[in-house]
Amino acid sequence: MAGVSDSAGFSFSIGTRLDGRHGRTGVIQTPHGPVATPAFIPVGTKATVKAVLPEAMSDLGAQALLANAYHLYLQPGPDIVDEAGGLAAFMNWPGPTFTDSGGFQVMSLGVGFKKVLAMETVDVQNDDVIAKGKERLATVDDEGVTFRSHLNGSKHRFTPEVSMGIQHQLGADIMFAFDELTTLMNTRGYQEKSVQRTHRWAQRCIDEHERLTAARTHRPYQALFAVVQGAQYEDLRRKASRDLAEIRGCEGTEFDGYGIGGALEKHNLGTIVGWCCDELPEDKPRHMLGISEPEDMFAAIEAGADTFDCVNPSRVGRNGGIYVDAGRFNIDTLRFKRDFTPIDETCDCYTCAHYTRAYIHHLFKAKEMLASTLCTIHNERFTIRLVDRIRASIDGGYFDEFRAATMGRWQGRITAP
C-alpha cells in the first residue's frame, strides 16, 4: 500500500544497470517535469544559485534545483513562497525543485563547522565538540532543535512537524525528512542515539506529510525522502536503511525515496553508499547529500546514488576557483593576467564561448560582481556536463572506461591547466 502517493504524479523508473553494482540510470517523474538520473542538482540555497539567473541554470542543463528550508524559513518566510505559488513559481524556475529539511543546520549551527560532507578521519571523539572561535547556536533534544538565527539572534524551534509544514509551504517536488546530522567527532554512543532519534523523527515526518498532503490538495503532490544517517559505521548505516524502508504513515504511506546523509570519510564514500543501497528498496530513488568533486561523483554513482547536490561549483567559482578536466585552479593568480584564451576550449558554456582568462582575472582583481557570475556559469556547466556524460556512459556500456579516462586526467588542485 503506497498511501497518498498512489496517483500523485511522482514516480521512478530504472533504465540501464551497471553489472554487479547498484549504479543505474533512470527517470524521476515529478509534477514539474522529469529528472534523468544520475543527475547533479545545483544548490540555490535562498531560492537562487548565487550570481546566476535561474533561466541561465536551465541553459546550463540543470534539471532541478535545491533550496534550503532553514534559510527560506528565516527569509522571506515560507508563507510568502506559498502565496507566490511555491518555490518554482517564486524563483521563475521551470523545472523540478528539491528542499532539504534544515537538518544540516543542526550540525552547522550547533558545532560551527564548514559546510562539508566528506571529512578526514579524526583522532579525537567528543560529543561537546565545537569549531574554534564559534558559538553554539543550536541544541538538540528528542523532540527537535532549538536554535538562534544567524541573521539576528532570534530564537526558533524546529521539530519534524515544523519542518514538514515549512517544506509543504515551500512547495518543492522533493522534500527531505527532518534528521540530525552528526560529525565524525561524535562518539559511537552518540551516533547510535542520533540514528534512533532520526528514525523517530522520520516517522513523525511521514505522519505529518500525510496530514498536510490531504489538507493541501490545491497544490501538486510533494515527494518525501527519508535520510539515512550512521556516520562511518556499517552496522548503523545498514540498520538505519532497513528501518527507514519499513516505516509507514498512519494511512500506509511509504517514503518516495531516500537520502544518504551525514559526515563520512571521503575515501569510504562509495563503500558507505553501497552499504545503504544494499538495504534500501531498489525501486526508489536515492539522493546523496552534499558532493560534487569528480572522484566522489563516480564513487557515489557506481555505488547506487541517483541524484546528488552540492554548493561547491558556485562557492568555488565565487572565490576564483575553476574546474577543468585536469583539476581545479585559481584564475585570480598572476599567471593569467595576459592569458587571452578561454577557461577551457573544450567547454560549451557561455563563459568559455565569450570571455578570456585575462578578462576574468581582471574582474576578480577589480572586485567586479561579473567575475562570480562567469565562473559560476562555467563550474555549474562543468559539473552538470560531467554527470550527463557519466549517465551516457552507463547507458552506452562504457562506464568503467570513461571513469578511468576521466580520473586519469583529474589531478585535484593544480596551478594551471
Side-chain angles (χ1 to χ4, degrees):
M1 183 176 181
V4 297
S5 62
D6 280 340
S7 57
F10 179 90
S11 65
F12 175 64
S13 59
I14 298 172
T16 307
R17 303 172 190 269
L18 283 175
D19 291 341
R21 291 162 284 185
H22 290 297
R24 71 267 183 99
T25 63
V27 177
I28 300 172
Q29 293 287 351
T30 80
H32 287 91
V35 178
T37 64
F40 174 68
I41 313 299
V43 175
T45 300
K46 302 176 184 179
T48 174
V49 178
K50 287 181 172 61
V52 179
L53 288 169
E55 295 91 327
M57 292 307 301
S58 181
D59 292 340
L60 293 173
Q63 300 185 71
L65 300 179
L66 181 145
N68 182 276
Y70 161 82
H71 287 285
L72 293 178
Y73 159 77
L74 292 177
Q75 190 180 61
D79 57 319
I80 301 294
V81 179
D82 193 19
E83 189 175 338
L87 179 62
F90 185 54
M91 65 187 296
N92 193 35
W93 168 251
T97 52
F98 292 50
T99 47
D100 66 4
S101 68
F104 178 83
Q105 276 64 40
V106 176
M107 189 270 275
S108 65
L109 292 174
V111 298
F113 287 115
K114 294 180 180 180
K115 295 183 179 180
V116 295
L117 172 69
M119 300 179 176
E120 296 303 320
T121 304
V122 293
D123 298 322
V124 61
Q125 290 191 322
N126 181 355
D127 291 332
D128 294 320
V129 68
I130 187 167
K132 185 177 180 180
K134 298 292 184 178
E135 179 184 4
R136 191 177 301 280
L137 297 179
T139 55
V140 184
D141 58 63
D142 284 342
E143 294 302 308
V145 181
T146 301
F147 64 91
R148 282 185 285 131
S149 166
H150 71 286
L151 297 176
N152 59 17
S154 57
K155 191 174 181 179
H156 303 268
R157 176 79 170 166
F158 266 25
T159 64
E161 293 78 13
V162 168
S163 177
M164 285 294 93
I166 292 168
Q167 291 190 79
H168 269 268
Q169 284 188 298
L170 294 177
D173 294 285
I174 294 174
M175 312 175 291
F176 288 90
F178 193 54
D179 63 312
E180 182 187 8
L181 171 61
T182 59
T183 77
L184 290 183
M185 293 185 184
N186 288 111
T187 61
R188 163 75 191 218
Y190 189 89
Q191 301 286 6
E192 292 174 353
K193 293 178 181 177
S194 178
V195 166
Q196 294 168 2
R197 180 181 291 136
T198 291
H199 179 86
R200 292 192 297 269
W201 287 0
Q203 182 67 66
R204 290 166 59 185
C205 281
I206 204 165
D207 291 341
E208 183 68 0
H209 171 56
E210 281 187 337
R211 188 187 73 80
L212 290 170
T213 299
R216 291 174 55 84
T217 55
H218 62 294
R219 295 295 193 205
Y221 178 72
Q222 296 173 255
L224 178 60
F225 286 24
V227 180
V228 179
Q229 295 289 353
Q232 71 272 38
Y233 299 103
E234 180 177 2
D235 60 328
L236 294 185
R237 287 283 184 176
R238 289 186 180 276
K239 186 176 189 306
S241 299
R242 290 193 300 270
D243 290 349
L244 289 172
E246 293 174 359
I247 287 181
R248 299 292 183 272
C250 296
E251 301 298 324
T253 301
E254 303 173 7
F255 283 109
D256 298 289
Y258 298 89
I260 300 172
L264 47 83
E265 297 165 331
K266 184 180 175 74
H267 65 276
N268 282 334
L269 186 150
T271 300
I272 292 171
V273 173
W275 294 338
C276 299
C277 293
D278 282 344
E279 310 295 342
L280 292 171
E282 188 185 47
D283 62 346
K284 299 291 182 70
R286 305 174 292 229
H287 181 89
M288 183 73 189
L289 290 140
I291 63 166
S292 70
E293 295 295 311
E295 63 270 30
D296 298 334
M297 293 189 296
F298 276 105
I301 289 169
E302 181 179 17
D306 298 302
T307 55
F308 39 92
D309 69 274
C310 194
V311 299
N312 261 16
S314 56
R315 174 177 292 155
V316 166
R318 296 195 306 275
N319 290 283
I322 299 292
Y323 288 100
V324 294
D325 286 345
R328 188 175 114 191
F329 69 94
N330 288 333
I331 202 165
D332 56 358
T333 56
L334 183 61
R335 70 177 63 241
F336 299 111
K337 187 174 184 178
R338 287 182 168 83
D339 187 339
F340 300 104
T341 63
I343 288 175
D344 182 355
E345 292 182 348
T346 69
C347 180
D348 59 3
C349 78
Y350 179 86
T351 300
C352 290
H354 294 89
Y355 299 98
T356 66
R357 296 176 178 184
Y359 179 65
I360 299 169
H361 174 273
H362 154 70
L363 293 176
F364 273 107
K365 293 303 180 183
K367 301 187 185 304
E368 289 288 343
M369 291 184 288
L370 183 58
S372 295
T373 298
L374 295 180
C375 289
T376 300
I377 285 173
H378 171 77
N379 283 352
E380 293 287 1
R381 179 56 185 156
F382 172 88
T383 308
I384 292 166
R385 184 174 175 230
L386 176 57
V387 178
D388 287 349
R389 293 162 72 192
I390 294 174
R391 184 171 63 250
S393 77
I394 297 174
D395 279 333
Y398 57 92
F399 171 82
D400 293 321
E401 293 85 351
F402 180 68
R403 178 184 57 187
T406 302
M407 297 316 300
R409 293 188 298 268
W410 181 259
Q411 304 171 49
R413 297 287 185 94
I414 58 175
T415 56

